[in-house]
Amino acid sequence: MTPTHGEPMGQVTPAPGSAAHPVRPGTGTRLDPWIGAYADRTHGMRASEIRALFAVANRPEVVSLAGGMPNLAGLPMQALAESAHELILSRGTTALQYGSGQGDERLREQILEVMRLEGIDAHPDDVVVTTGSQQALDLVTRLFINPGDVVVAEAPSYVGALGVFRAYQADVVHVPLDEHGLVPEALEETLQALQSEGRTVKLLYTVPNFHNPAGVTMTLERRPRILEIARRHGVLLVEDNPYGLLGFSGDPLPAIRSLDDEGVIYLGSFSKTFAPGYRVGWAVAPHAVREKLVLASESAILCPSNASQLAISTYLANHDWRGQIKAFREMYRERRDAMIGALGEHIPEATWTVPEGGFYTWVRLPAGLDAQAMLPRAITARVAYVSGTAFYADGQGADHMRLSFCYPTPDRIREGVRRLASVVASESELVEIFGTAAHRELRIVDPTAPDLA
Ligand code: PMP
């Protein structure tokens, strides 16, 4: 196909066999001249609802209860700056050089220390350092998923994982969770049904602690049961655990990986317990899988950033990182309390989960309301959230929204919930007068928005 750069949309004929790409009338949007060239796996790619929201939700006049950005104000910035300075002066030729594909050995040892807090007993060789746990998710999916293979995931599930599964053309089948986490009976039933349909189920993806977006935690009692069911069905369990150390009370629960080192791939991250900007996460995998993970990572990125790894390694060695995590937990607990208190005061007609850690609460709207339809009106009222639909692969979730309490101050959280309450009240009135269908149709369509089809 000949590229036709610069031609206005509508004057270019899509390549034979390519999907017709409709013109947005009057917008001047250009047709992608490569439309017929993309790999099949790109067809499911779209901007996440969260990213599409970011531009407007981040404006200062909007209270954003949407994003999952950790609040970094409590980090010892002066000490971190001095440490970065010192790192480049004293070890610059290493920090700025290529490194090992598996990750820095010293950091891998320190990661073991972090994981010991959740009962994981591993060897540094079992650990693969990645560019955030997001890259680990990508690598694991790349290793195991052929188009059409099934990934079983909680309903709802982390939006970034769904994006990865979609990119590798997995078929995501959701299994319900409740306030105690993934429901074992429902998992058993789903796996049996899939097996009897002759489907190939490769992965069970779960976020056991302080779930994103549901805010719930898998109970201690359920962990071995879930593991046993996955193993009996020959399904590898992916335990994604970026929030496990951010509980608001008590000790961290033992990771599922602490029960089994052969049937689980564990994903960890420094993004929420320290800072996401260095983009350092890790995977712990059974031996043979770990070798393949390293090869896959090398082909993707050669090696994770040495500078980032050494900065984190220095932080872990020289700072009271446990004390920092404790401070984060206290800060997030205060914000959780502000959020839950404000919901009870201002939107008592909704229901919500009360998270024991992490960043999110999952709110069920009063009957008849649609979180996706309501969102433009919420933004107009200067408050943002993420519609529940972002967290399902199959279009469910409009009756829920995710509210995050990690970033705004408690006062801003209360103000955000007050604004949300006024939107919920007027939407409820609309539903009462005109019915749910009218409320759904009343959408504000931005004619300049990029075509995400
Ligand atoms: N898993 C979950 C459940 C998350 O919430 C996130 C970030 N929001 C990630 C993985 C990715 O985190 P990172 O790549 O920053 O480690």
Side-chain angles (χ1 to χ4, degrees), residues 100-187:
S100 139
Q102 189 172 354
D104 180 76
E105 194 172 348
R106 170 93 182 96
L107 178 63
R108 285 189 278 121
E109 279 163 12
Q110 291 167 305
I111 285 171
L112 296 188
E113 224 180 295
V114 175
M115 292 194 300
R116 241 172 253 131
L117 297 176
E118 298 186 297
I120 294 177
D121 182 24
H123 190 272
D125 281 356
D126 302 331
V127 179
V128 182
V129 178
T130 54
T131 302
S133 55
Q134 190 70 26
Q135 193 215 352
L137 263 173
D138 184 275
L139 295 175
V140 170
T141 311
R142 183 186 310 198
L143 286 190
F144 287 98
I145 296 301
N146 289 319
D149 285 348
V150 175
V151 175
V152 171
E154 287 143 341
S157 270
Y158 166 50
V159 60
L162 295 179
V164 173
F165 301 148
R166 203 181 296 123
Y168 287 96
Q169 298 167 281
D171 196 359
V172 174
V173 174
H174 288 291
V175 174
L177 46 67
D178 61 19
E179 71 272 29
H180 306 300
L182 186 61
V183 179
E185 293 77 12
L187 176 65

Side-chain angles (χ1 to χ4, degrees), residues 50 67-70 130-137 157-161 205-213 240-243 267-272 275-277 279-282 359-360 402:
I50 296 178
M69 282 197 301
T130 54
T131 302
S133 55
Q134 190 70 26
Q135 193 215 352
L137 263 173
S157 270
Y158 166 50
V159 60
Y205 171 72
T206 175
V207 178
N209 297 311
F210 320 126
H211 190 272
N212 178 4
D240 186 10
N241 187 32
Y243 304 100
L267 310 184
S269 175
F270 289 108
S271 290
K272 324 288 171 171
R279 307 301 303 124
V280 175
W282 68 91
F359 289 4
Y360 312 103
R402 186 191 76 178

